[in-house]
């Protein structure tokens, strides 16, 4: 049972120094270490008394009777909320690396996200998690119909985030007679040159009609009042784009790109093999459980979310801290950047690098 106590500025300073020392050493902290390494301007006895107050408040505890003290999750919470600010220097370094090493013009969005994840894990020393963006706000940039072989056409779609999707359409009457009848048009002239001209004409029409529309809109478009020259394509277009919309529907969660597992294996918190196996299973096989913790809640007000230890509902990460922030498109959260590490984390740096990455990716999507 913890005691409700009033914490003075001195108590906060002792708590700050204790946590900083523990983060650096991973060893329980005694009053002597604080006197020698931090300018607290008080006697060891005063520090011991202060640490006793913090222990009674549930902010520090002793792992063994003869040992020094280490922070509790509640102690880290006060440290994060009241005693530190994100490192501007670290944020600037992260932004500089992202801008120098990632090629926004010639890479797909997934490649950019994967590269950002790798940069952040190397920079922070922790596991990085980046969710792929939800496609609900993804808009069409370019569409093209291509003849692949007799009876087969491929629809190639490029989104505004430069992701590419393709769909193979089988128009062979032998394979899908009902579809051929429903289309009401012969897209398979024997002359290949005529077919390619017809597909190019239709591709131009699709781009004129659909560029800038979201994928989620495709299945509800009204094709009943087309220009006369395209009226015969009405049923074909409806089926084509409904299928594309259906295949592009976002599931409840999107894939999470993970980097930096090797970065944490040397830390004492990850020295137990079974613990590491459980964590790896969560990261690799059960991402749908992790996704709600990292994906942003549109109603949340804080820019960065920090879940410390037992604040995480999933048992495999209850000894960890998860720092996350949303990246946005048109001011709408579409994905998240997160860092997962031990509760003994350099919070000033972790929060700074997550904020910087979220800002960079939001800028990239704009």
């Amino acid at each position: 049972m913890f005691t409700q106590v009033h914490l003075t500025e001195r108590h906060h300073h002792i708590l700050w120094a204790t946590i900083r020392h523990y983060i650096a050493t991973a060893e329980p902290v005694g009053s002597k270490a604080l006197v020698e390494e931090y300018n607290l301007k008080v006697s060891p006895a005063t520090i011991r008394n202060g640490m006793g107050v913090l222990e009674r408040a549930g902010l520090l505890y002793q792992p063994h009777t003869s040992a020094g003290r280490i922070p509790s999750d509640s102690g880290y919470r006060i440290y994060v909320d009241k005693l530190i600010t994100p490192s501007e220097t670290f944020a600037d370094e992260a932004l500089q690396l992202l801008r120098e090493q990632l090629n926004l013009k010639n890479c797909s969005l997934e490649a950019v996200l994967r590269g950002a994840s790798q940069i952040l894990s190397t920079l922070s020393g922790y596991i990085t998690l980046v969710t792929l963006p939800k496609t609900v706000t993804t808009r069409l940039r370019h569409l093209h119909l291509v003849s692949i072989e007799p009876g087969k056409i491929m629809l190639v779609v490029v989104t505004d985030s430069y992701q590419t999707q393709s769909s193979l359409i089988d128009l062979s009457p032998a394979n899908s007679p009902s579809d051929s009848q429903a289309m009401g048009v012969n897209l398979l002239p024997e002359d290949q040159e005529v077919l390619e001209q017809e597909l190019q004409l239709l591709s131009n029409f699709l781009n004129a009609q659909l560029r800038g529309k979201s994928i989620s809109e495709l299945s509800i478009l009204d094709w009943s009042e087309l220009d006369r020259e395209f009226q015969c394509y009405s049923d074909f277009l409806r089926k084509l784009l409904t299928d594309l919309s259906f295949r592009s529907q976002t599931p409840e969660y999107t894939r999470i790109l993970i980097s930096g597992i090797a970065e944490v294996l040397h830390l004492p918190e990850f020295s137990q093999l079974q613990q590491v196996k459980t964590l790896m299973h969560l990261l690799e096989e059960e991402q749908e459980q992790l996704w709600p913790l990292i994906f942003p809640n549109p109603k949340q007000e804080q820019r960065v979310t920090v879940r410390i230890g037992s604040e995480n509902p999933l048992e495999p990460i209850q000894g960890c801290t998860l720092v996350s922030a949303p990246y946005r498109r048109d001011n709408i959260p579409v994905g998240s950047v997160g860092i997962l590490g031990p509760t003994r984390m350099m919070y000033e740096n972790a929060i700074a690098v997550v904020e910087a990455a979220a800002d960079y990716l939001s800028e990239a999507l704009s």
Side-chain angles (χ1 to χ4, degrees), residues 249-270:
Q249 290 300 312
T250 305
E252 287 189 5
Y253 66 95
T254 56
R255 189 154 53 93
I256 302 175
L257 305 176
I258 297 171
S259 297
I261 292 175
E263 302 287 344
V264 300
L265 294 181
H266 69 283
L267 299 174
E269 290 87 350
F270 298 93

Side-chain angles (χ1 to χ4, degrees), residues 77 80 84 86 120 124 126-130 293-295 300 303-309 311-312 317 320-326 336-343 345-358:
R77 173 50 62 194
V80 168
I84 63 168
L120 298 189
S124 68
Y126 304 126
I127 298 170
T128 303
L129 307 96
V130 180
L293 300 183
I294 186 174
F295 197 80
Q300 76 180 38
R303 187 180 180 196
V304 176
T305 300
V306 182
R307 296 178 183 269
I308 301 171
E311 296 173 1
N312 290 297
I317 58 172
C320 302
T321 288
L322 177 62
V323 182
S324 62
S336 277
V337 180
I339 280 181
L340 182 69
T343 53
M345 173 185 285
M346 281 296 295
Y347 287 93
E348 300 95 321
N349 293 350
I351 294 171
V353 78
V354 165
E355 284 185 330

Side-chain angles (χ1 to χ4, degrees), residues 284-316:
E284 295 174 358
E285 306 295 335
E286 298 182 346
Q287 289 191 357
E288 69 276 10
Q289 293 189 48
L290 192 60
W291 193 84
L293 300 183
I294 186 174
F295 197 80
N297 180 344
K299 296 181 180 179
Q300 76 180 38
E301 295 182 0
Q302 68 268 35
R303 187 180 180 196
V304 176
T305 300
V306 182
R307 296 178 183 269
I308 301 171
S310 57
E311 296 173 1
N312 290 297
L314 301 178
E315 186 175 347

